[in-house]
Amino acid sequence: MKIVIADANLVELRDELEAGLPAGSHVSWPDPRDAAAVETAVAYADVLVSGACPAATAAAGKRLRLVHAAGAGVDGIDVAALAPGTIVANTFHHEDSIAEYVVSAVVLLRRGFLAQDSALRRDRWASPVYEPGRQLADSLAAATVGFVGFGHIGARTWARLRSFGARGVAVTRRGDVDAAALGLGWSGTVDDLGTLLERSGVVVVSAPLTPQTTGLIGADQFARMRPDAVLVNVGRGPVIDEQALYDALRDNRIRGAALDVWYRYPESGADAAPSALPFRDLPNVLMTPHSSGLTRQTFAGRAADIAANIARLAAGEPLVNVVAVAS
């Protein structure tokens, strides 16, 4: 079986991934940034491992039987351009690492560690011990966490925050979360978003980006949030209106935000402003480059899934995490 792996995040796990492939597999690792090299490599390949398979790559890979993304997203795979019968599959394993990010960010923001770090670099001890009258921070035990979206990421994050004694509520598009079974105070649909925002000291956004969720949280929603609330977005940037988010943070209408997903991304290389607005100038924002799920553990799990699915393909067995089959 001929396999092309064109995902830079898997290079570090090359030995582990190849060890799990069927005996006799021939594996090539073209540079994912070199479209021509990838197209040449897939010409006689059975499997392409990549989150990107545009029409030109699909046309070059006439023998492809499987295109396997090394993550959840398959929007970069042109399913319609693939040969009929080509399977498209994905994998996950990012939930634990993203949950760890959310917990870390919430503690950082609620406890005021960003501001304390900045102050101490100027020799200022921003603590109630040294500045009488400064308010004590709240621990997670005092938090009500509102989840906007409650899939894999929301559920894993709640399991961790719950262990600190936090309370949880959730809204989803379908409103099918069993609150009692999961230990949540209540759950509802997006029609209940305003109520969730009014009651939550922490808001975790992990909803997917769809036409219905674009701009789901805007100026009206920020007006209903508590002034001491912190927001963490690990879903997609445009779920939250860009200008409304900036305004709420700039004007201290909420305490702070951790933003791991953005409105602009690099088209090539590693340089690009993540927004047209100067979030970088705000002291109450933790900015990260869509890295919340990027750990070795995430990709080790993904590599194992990919190798197992390729083994199933070679053995003629049904694959798991099938997203589509080209027609």
Side-chain angles (χ1 to χ4, degrees), residues 37-223:
V38 175
E39 290 168 19
T40 298
V42 301
Y44 299 98
D46 301 288
V47 177
L48 170 63
V49 177
S50 177
C53 183
T57 303
K62 294 181 173 60
R63 293 177 48 179
L64 285 173
R65 299 164 59 194
L66 170 65
V67 178
H68 207 309
V74 295
D75 49 307
I77 299 172
D78 191 338
V79 178
L82 293 168
T86 306
I87 299 169
V88 177
N90 68 352
T91 178
F92 298 92
H93 292 283
H94 54 284
E95 308 90 60
D96 286 336
S97 293
I98 294 178
E100 181 178 275
Y101 171 93
V102 174
V103 173
S104 301
V106 168
V107 171
L108 189 78
L109 293 167
R110 278 176 61 84
R111 296 284 299 277
F113 292 151
L114 278 178
Q116 290 173 20
D117 174 83
S118 177
L120 198 55
R121 291 173 189 273
R122 303 189 307 272
D123 302 330
R124 181 81 177 189
W125 292 63
S127 157
V129 173
Y130 300 99
E131 291 187 345
R134 181 180 284 272
Q135 289 186 329
L136 291 166
D138 286 316
S139 73
L140 285 175
T144 294
V145 183
F147 292 92
V148 182
F150 200 78
H152 293 125
I153 294 169
R156 293 295 178 90
T157 302
W158 169 232
R160 283 150 179 77
L161 289 170
R162 187 181 182 188
S163 69
F164 288 93
R167 297 172 296 281
V169 298
V171 296
T172 62
R173 183 174 59 85
R174 292 188 295 271
D176 55 357
V177 174
D178 188 339
L182 293 166
L184 294 166
W186 57 266
S187 63
T189 69
V190 290
D191 292 338
D192 303 300
L193 176 60
T195 301
L196 178 144
L197 295 175
E198 290 171 352
R199 299 181 182 180
S200 300
V202 176
V203 177
V204 178
V205 180
S206 61
L209 183 64
T210 67
Q212 293 73 34
T213 63
T214 299
L216 181 66
I217 299 177
D220 290 344
Q221 287 69 40
F222 279 112

Side-chain angles (χ1 to χ4, degrees), residues 191-281:
D191 292 338
D192 303 300
L193 176 60
T195 301
L196 178 144
L197 295 175
E198 290 171 352
R199 299 181 182 180
S200 300
V202 176
V203 177
V204 178
V205 180
S206 61
L209 183 64
T210 67
Q212 293 73 34
T213 63
T214 299
L216 181 66
I217 299 177
D220 290 344
Q221 287 69 40
F222 279 112
R224 299 184 70 170
M225 288 180 68
R226 293 166 40 173
D228 64 344
V230 301
L231 180 148
V232 182
N233 190 5
V234 289
R236 287 294 183 267
V239 171
I240 304 175
D241 181 83
E242 185 175 9
Q243 186 70 56
L245 172 61
Y246 176 80
D247 291 346
L249 290 163
R250 179 198 60 199
D251 299 340
N252 293 307
R253 283 185 240 141
I254 62 173
R255 179 186 295 181
L259 306 176
D260 189 51
V261 289
W262 291 95
Y263 304 93
R264 295 177 175 178
Y265 283 77
E267 294 183 5
S268 62
D271 295 317
S275 169
L277 301 171
F279 283 93
R280 63 171 66 86
D281 296 334

